[in-house]
Amino acid sequence: MKKLLLSALSALFLSFSSAGQTTLFQDDFESGNSNWSFNGSGDNAWIVNNTYFGGGFVTDTPNQPGGNTNYMHIMSGLGCSFLNACNANFDTGSASLQNADLATGVDASAASSVSLEFWYLCMGAAGTSYGTAHVSVDGGATWALVGTYAGVSSWTQETIDLSAQAAGQSDVRVRFQWTNGGSGLDPAFAVDDVTISAMMGGGGSNAISTTNDVSPAAWCEGTTTSVTVNFTATGTYTAGNVYTAEISDATGSFASPTAIGNLSSTVSGVLTIPCTVPGTLPAGTGYRIRVLSTNPSVTGSDNGADLVISSAPTVTQDPFTQVCVYDQLFALTGGAPAGGTYTGPGVVAGAFDPGTAGVGTHTIVYTYTDGTGCSNTAQQALVVDACASIAIKESNKMAVYPNPTKGELVVSGSNQYDELLVFDIYNRLLVKFYKSSSNRYDLSVLPRGVFIVKIRNANKEESFRVLKL
């Protein structure tokens, strides 16, 4: 590890690497914690030492690959005092939140890309007792999470791209944080060989700016969307260079961006990347897009304006009641929010015709589109029954025929009535006839369906169910 890097040429090496990287900060903790400020002391606090032995009662901290030397780690004060275990261990019974902050900001104002590199250990317990890494560009006033660590029992090197947060910033600081939630295994969070390096972009000649004309600027959640990203690249780009467009999260953070398009090119100037934004991104109003290059490595500025992914509206549809194939055309209702459209068998202009749909179970889909242009659907089954069990009733004293009828209806068996009334199946009066001397009545004005015919006089009433074809 670090001890293998130190030599008489280390100062020169740390200034400029062969790849053009500039080391802005490096700490191997051999001079203690002079570069760091700790927010607490006592049990489960940060300390710098070179103790790896657990004292016989606490798990030993694993040896470093380059030899055991000073490192920064969490240590249980009680364990150190009573068990002589002053290595990377913690007391699960003492909840804590401990920070180790870089005390002085690093100047990355001329950097086109910035990376953080360190070695670490951290077993703990995922989600309960764990380590995290953060970055700040405002003197430590606010911090952005860039890494979470647990379940790691051997020394592991970590590299984090901080370009989105730190490139072009004059006060870059990092924080290592330990959260103890009451359970987990040793070793606790331990850190060594912290390096912050940057690519200066060929002396500042390379830069990328994403144009504020991303099209479209808004689209709907759940929809895979084609987006055009224009950008301007200045400087010289060499063989193998790839421009990549990335979209942030809904808050504009590029801590975990999503790549949406690539352009293999060494050309600079005004360029365009056709992109595809996956429909899996959640709704939000603060998305941004930026462009990066690979050769040289340059992280461009974002498009400078928020992009919106709108939520799909919540749509519902009340269940339909069963109808007969001979029922009349009726309006479809129950969709919410109101104002949507219906589609399906037998649906015409928001109404349903059982006869057109036919006997069977039909899926009726309700679609609503909101003011942002986002749509959603709901559906219900509508059952059309043959209604073969409907009996054609005849009175002992009179009858009506033909039944079914295509228009004319005849009353026979008695002349002792005053009027004939026709109701729909919802008992709404549709037609009223006074007694005809011929006992014949024209129902051709009625639509196809099942009707209730009532023949009445002052003393009594007979009812018949009549099928109009």
Side-chain angles (χ1 to χ4, degrees):
M1 219 153 72
K2 66 185 176 218
K3 302 306 173 278
L4 302 179
L5 300 177
L6 298 177
S7 70
L9 299 177
S10 63
L12 178 62
F13 178 84
L14 293 174
S15 296
F16 297 98
S17 73
S18 60
Q21 286 280 350
T22 298
T23 298
L24 304 180
F25 171 83
Q26 197 275 340
D27 195 351
D28 58 10
F29 299 103
E30 293 311 296
S31 59
N33 66 310
S34 57
N35 293 316
W36 303 83
S37 61
F38 301 154
N39 75 327
S41 59
D43 213 16
N44 300 326
W46 288 101
I47 191 172
V48 173
N49 64 19
N50 62 356
T51 303
Y52 291 77
F53 179 56
F57 296 95
V58 176
T59 302
D60 289 349
T61 299
N63 294 331
Q64 293 196 33
N68 292 338
T69 56
N70 281 358
Y71 66 119
M72 183 171 70
H73 61 89
I74 291 295
M75 181 191 76
S76 168
L78 294 176
C80 184
S81 299
F82 294 104
L83 301 176
N84 197 31
C86 303
N87 64 340
N89 70 88
F90 69 105
D91 176 11
T92 59
S94 298
S96 59
L97 183 67
Q98 300 284 359
N99 299 329
D101 295 353
L102 187 60
T104 303
V106 173
D107 185 2
S109 57
S112 59
S113 64
V114 180
S115 64
L116 168 65
E117 184 178 281
F118 57 93
W119 289 76
Y120 77 97
L121 288 167
C122 190
M123 272 300 290
T128 301
S129 298
Y130 54 91
T132 51
H134 307 254
V135 63
S136 172
V137 295
D138 55 9
T142 59
W143 296 88
L145 175 68
V146 294
T148 301
Y149 310 101
V152 178
S153 60
S154 59
W155 285 99
T156 301
Q157 190 173 39
E158 169 81 328
T159 300
I160 303 174
D161 183 4
L162 299 182
S163 301
Q165 302 89 352
Q169 301 295 325
S170 61
D171 189 340
V172 179
R173 305 178 190 226
V174 295
R175 164 182 286 177
F176 296 102
Q177 185 177 84
W178 166 253
T179 300
N180 175 25
S183 65
L185 302 175
D186 292 332
F189 199 15
V191 176
D192 202 355
D193 289 330
V194 179
T195 301
I196 301 175
S197 59
M199 174 71 74
M200 294 305 179
S205 61
N206 288 77
I208 299 173
S209 61
T210 305
T211 311
N212 185 15
D213 61 355
V214 175
S215 178
W219 57 92
C220 300
E221 182 182 16
T223 303
T224 299
T225 304
S226 296
V227 174
T228 300
V229 176
N230 299 314
F231 66 100
T232 301
T234 56
T236 300
Y237 297 84
T238 55
N241 179 62
V242 178
Y243 295 109
T244 299
E246 295 180 336
I247 190 168
S248 69
D249 66 14
T251 67
S253 170
F254 285 94
S256 298
T258 300
I260 57 175
N262 296 295
L263 174 65
S264 297
S265 175
T266 59
V267 176
S268 58
V270 179
L271 301 169
T272 298
I273 302 179
C275 299
T276 301
V277 180
T280 53
L281 295 182
T285 59
Y287 284 95
R288 297 290 181 97
I289 290 177
R290 69 180 183 184
V291 176
L292 298 79
S293 65
T294 59
N295 202 10
S297 176
V298 178
T299 299
S301 59
D302 66 40
N303 61 298
D306 290 337
L307 306 174
V308 176
I309 300 180
S310 299
S311 298
T314 299
V315 178
T316 61
Q317 170 62 54
D318 293 342
F320 296 107
T321 57
Q322 182 173 310
V323 297
C324 293
V325 71
Y326 298 111
D327 283 347
Q328 303 175 49
L329 190 78
F330 63 90
L332 294 167
T333 59
T341 59
Y342 290 90
T343 55
V347 176
V348 179
F352 181 75
D353 185 356
T356 300
V359 174
T361 300
H362 307 290
T363 299
I364 307 300
V365 178
Y366 177 73
T367 303
Y368 175 79
T369 302
D370 64 17
T372 67
C374 297
S375 300
N376 209 344
T377 63
Q379 62 186 41
Q380 291 286 349
L382 200 163
V383 177
V384 178
D385 194 90
C387 296
S389 62
I390 295 178
I392 305 302
K393 176 185 175 183
E394 291 190 359
S395 167
N396 292 330
K397 296 185 178 181
M398 64 178 65
V400 293
Y401 66 89
N403 194 2
T405 177
K406 293 184 177 181
E408 184 180 63
L409 190 68
V410 178
V411 178
S412 66
S414 174
N415 285 322
Q416 302 302 312
Y417 64 94
D418 299 320
E419 56 189 13
L420 183 145
L421 303 94
V422 182
F423 296 82
D424 64 15
I425 60 173
Y426 305 105
N427 204 36
R428 293 175 295 194
L429 179 63
L430 303 177
V431 182
K432 179 178 180 180
F433 298 97
Y434 290 104
K435 183 180 180 303
S436 166
S437 58
S438 66
N439 291 322
R440 296 176 179 272
Y441 302 92
D442 184 7
L443 304 185
S444 60
V445 297
L446 298 176
R448 182 179 62 220
V450 176
F451 301 92
I452 306 300
V453 174
K454 296 182 180 181
I455 301 173
R456 64 171 60 154
N457 59 25
N459 299 317
K460 60 183 178 180
E461 174 182 282
E462 296 284 349
S463 295
F464 302 86
R465 188 180 292 269
V466 174
L467 178 60
K468 166 70 169 40
L469 301 178

